[in-house]
Amino acid sequence: MQLILTHENADFDAVASLLAASKLYPDAVPLLPRRINRNVNQFLNLYWDVLPFVRPEDWQRRRVEQVIIVDTQSVNSVRGMVRAPRVQVFDHHATHRQQEKWTYHVEPLGATTTMLVEMLRAAGSGMSAEESTLLLLGIYEDTGSMTYATTTPRDVRAAAFLLENGAQLSVVRRFLNVALTAEQRQLSDMLSASATWVDVAGHSVVVADAVAPEGFDDEISSITHRLRDALSPGALVVLVALHNDVQLVARSSSGYVDVSIIARAIGGGGHSRAAAAMAVGQSLALVKRKVLALLPQAVVPMAKVSQIMSHGVQTLPPDALIADASRLMQRFGYEGYPVVDDDQKRLVGLLTRRAVDRAMSHELGQSPISRIMMAGSVTVRPSDSIERVQQLMLDEGWGQVPVIEENGQDEGVSLIGVVTRTDVLNVLFKSTPVTAEPDMRQLLVDSFSPILWQMLLTVSETAAALNMPLYFVGGVVRDLLLHQPATDFDMVVEGDAIKLVRRLQEMHGGETRTHSRFGTGKWLVTSDVWASLAPDMEPIAVPESIDFVTARTEFYRKPTALPEIERGSIKLDLHRRDFSINTLAVRLDGSHMGELLDFYGGRRDLEQGIIRVLHSLSFIDDPTRMLRAVRLEQRLGFRIETRTAELIIDGLEMLDRVTGSRIRHEIELALRDTAPARTLQRLDELGVLQHIHPDLSWQPEMADSFVRLRALADDPVWSQLLEAESMVFPYFALWLFPLPLEVQLEAMDRLRVRKITLDDVKSISRLVEALGKLPDDAHPSQIAKAIQPFRGRVLMVVFAALGDSIAASRIRRYYSELRLVKTAVTGEDLRAMGLKPGPVFAVILDRLLAARLDGEVADEVGERELLAQFLAGPPAGPKEWVT
C-alpha cells in the first residue's frame, strides 16, 4: 500500500500538496498529520466532504511499503509502515541532505504546491473549484501572496492556472487572515513584551520568547506573521515553551538572513524565509542561547557604505549661482551636490537636480543655491550598513548622502565620498549571478607569472600606504572572468596617479613620465627594478613600463566629438566605458586585493554572453562604438542585445560626422582579430558599412577568399611575403577587391588611409591587369616580368582573390619556383669582362634571366655562350640589344 504524508503543524502548502499528490497518485491514501494549523483546520472542516483526506484517528493499520512525502523530507512514523519503505519526496526546500535509495523531486520554488500543480496541468487532470482554491491557498500562504523573495515566475503561473480553474480569491483572503483566538492574543502580547532586538552584521533580528498560557493548544505561525508585520525586522525568531518542549517558528524578510539554518540546528527544517523546529525536552533559556549563538551563521553580512560609495566628492558653496550649478550638472551628469560652507567648515545642505531644473524654469539662474538647497547635514561613515543609508534616505529625503571619514565630525567638511540612491538600489535589487562569486585574488595569481604577481603586490602595498584605491578595470577584468590570458597591466588610481608613480620611483628606482593635464603617469621599469623586486626570478616577458591613470569622467560637448576629461571617482570612470562587460573593476590596494566592483551588471552580461551599452546616447556620444560592439561580439562569440542593436541602427547617420581615420582605426582593430570575415559580415547586416560608403558591402563569396588568405598567412613560406607586417592590409585590400577601382578609391579617401595603403591597392589592380594581358602560352619569363615589380603583400591578396584561376596559378608558380631562379653571371662578371657599368647591365642580366627561365640555357656555361653572342655584334650585338 502507498501513503502520502506531510509534516506536523501542517500549513496550507503542506495540506494542498497532500491533495495534489493524491490526484497524481489516485491509489495512494493522503493521511493528514496530527497537528494542523488552525486556519487550515477551519478550511478542512468546511469543505471536508469534497476532499479525499484521512484523519489520523480514522487510519486503520495496514502494511505500508511505499510512501510519498510532500513539503518535507522526513517521514513521520505510521502504524503498519515497513522498516525501510520506498520513499518519494516532493519539496521546495533544497537544503536538506538526501537519503540513499529515496527518490527526490526538489526544486527551489515558492511553494511545493506549485511543482505538483504543474504536474497536474501536464497530466490534464481535472479539479473542482474547492480543490483549486485549496491549492491556491497553498501557493499564496508560502509565497506571502507572491511578495516573498523566494517567489518564482512558476508560482505566479501556477496560481493563474488555478484561478482559471475556479479558485476563489475571496475564500483565500478569508482563510489567510483568520482572527487570533483569545489565547493566541495573550501569547502574542507576551512575545511582544519579550522581543529582543539583535544587530547581526548590520541586520536587525528580533528574538521573542514566552511560556505558553496554560492549556494553550493552538498554532503559533499566525502569531509570528502578525508580530513580524508589526515590528518589521530583517528576521524574527519566536520561541514558545510548551510543557517540556520548545516550539521555534522563524520568518525572514531579508535575503540576507536564512532562518532555515537556525531551525535545522535545533532539529527542524524549512527554507530561507520560513522555518520551524521542536526542541524536545529542552528549556526555553537553553534554546534561546542556542538561537543567539546561531544567528551569525544565518546572516550574510550586509554590504557596507565603503563597498558601494564613490570616492572623492565635488561640493558647491552656498553662494554659488543656480545657473552655474545647472551647467555643472549637465556637464557631469550629477544628480546632486553637497553644499559646504567653507567659512564655517561644515556641511549645510544638499542641492538636487530636480530643484535646479525647477529653479531654471522659473528663471532663477542668478540666485544662490542656498535658496533652493535641502538644508541640513546628513552623513554616513564607510563602516555604516546599507540598511542605515536606506533608512536615512527614507527619513531625510536625501538622494545623495555624503560620506565622512570614519572618525570625522558629523558636520565637518572631511567628506571623502558620496553614496547615492542608485548605489543602494543596485545592491538591493541586483540580480543573482548564475555562477558563484569568483575568487578574483586567485584568478590574478593564476593569470600572472610569479614575477608579475610580485610587482602587483609591490604596487598594491604602495597604493595602500598612500590611501589610494587602485584597480584593474575593463578588458583585463573581463578576460580574467572569461579565463582568457590577461595581457594588460595598466591600472586606474582613485586619487593621484602621478603621486603614486613618483612614490614607486622613490622606493624602487626606474624612471617616470607624467602628464599632469590628464593625470597619467608611466613607470619605466628597468632591469634593476625587476631585480630588486624579485631577485630570485628571471624577468622574462615583463613589461618595460606600467601605466597609471587617475580615475576620470568624460563630458561630450557635442555628439561625435572627442570627450573632455575631468578627474572623477572609479564609478564615474567605469560609467564612461563603452559596454557593460567593460565596466568591471578589481580593487588591488592592500587588504582590498581581489574585491570585484560591478556597478552596471557587467558580470551578468558576461554570463549571458551579451554586448550592452550603458545608456541610450552611447552611440550618439561616440559612433565608433558601433564598430567596437560588433568586434567584441564576434571575438567573444557573444550577441548584441536587442535594444543595443536598435540603438546602432538608429544612430547610423552619426557616422557621417566621424573622421575617417577614427573609423579606419576601428576597422583595422577588427581585421587584427581572429574572425575578420564574420565582423565585416555583421557590420554589413547592421548597415554600418553602407554608412561609411554607399557601395561598401560584404558578399558571402568573400568568405572563401578570406579563408585562402588566412591559409597563406599560416604557411611558413608564403607568410614571408608579409615581411613581419600584420594581416591588416591583406584583409583590407581583399575586402575592397570586388569593388570597382573608383569605389575603392572613394572608400579609401573616406577612411583617410595611408599613402602606402593607397599605392598598394592601386598596384593590385595593375597586377590583375598585367596578368590578364598574358597570353595563354606565356613563357615563364613573361610571367616573371609581369609579377616581379609588385610587393609581396600585393601578390598574397591577388592570389587569395583569384582562387583557382590561371592567373592565380601563375602567381603560385612565380612565388614557389620562378622567383628563385637566378643567373650565374653577375654584374661583377660583366665588370670583369671590361663592360662599363650602367643601364646596359640590367638589360643584359634580364635577358640572361629570361633565357634561364625559358630553358634556353641551363647553366653558367650556357649563359656565357649567350652573353658572347650578345657581345659579338649584329644582329645581336650590344648596340642593337641595348637600344
Side-chain angles (χ1 to χ4, degrees), residues 162-176:
L162 294 171
L163 287 170
E164 292 169 350
N165 280 270
Q168 299 296 306
L169 282 173
S170 59
V171 177
V172 171
R173 183 168 58 253
R174 173 186 172 188
F175 285 98
L176 288 184

Side-chain angles (χ1 to χ4, degrees), residues 636-670:
L636 301 176
F638 284 16
R639 61 178 176 83
I640 298 174
E641 61 100 22
T642 304
R643 178 55 180 158
T644 298
E646 292 173 353
L647 292 172
I648 289 176
I649 295 170
D650 291 344
L652 286 173
E653 292 183 357
M654 302 304 295
L655 285 169
D656 298 338
R657 305 187 188 183
V658 181
T659 62
S661 57
R662 289 183 63 199
I663 296 175
R664 187 194 72 241
H665 175 69
E666 291 296 332
I667 291 175
E668 288 174 348
L669 290 175

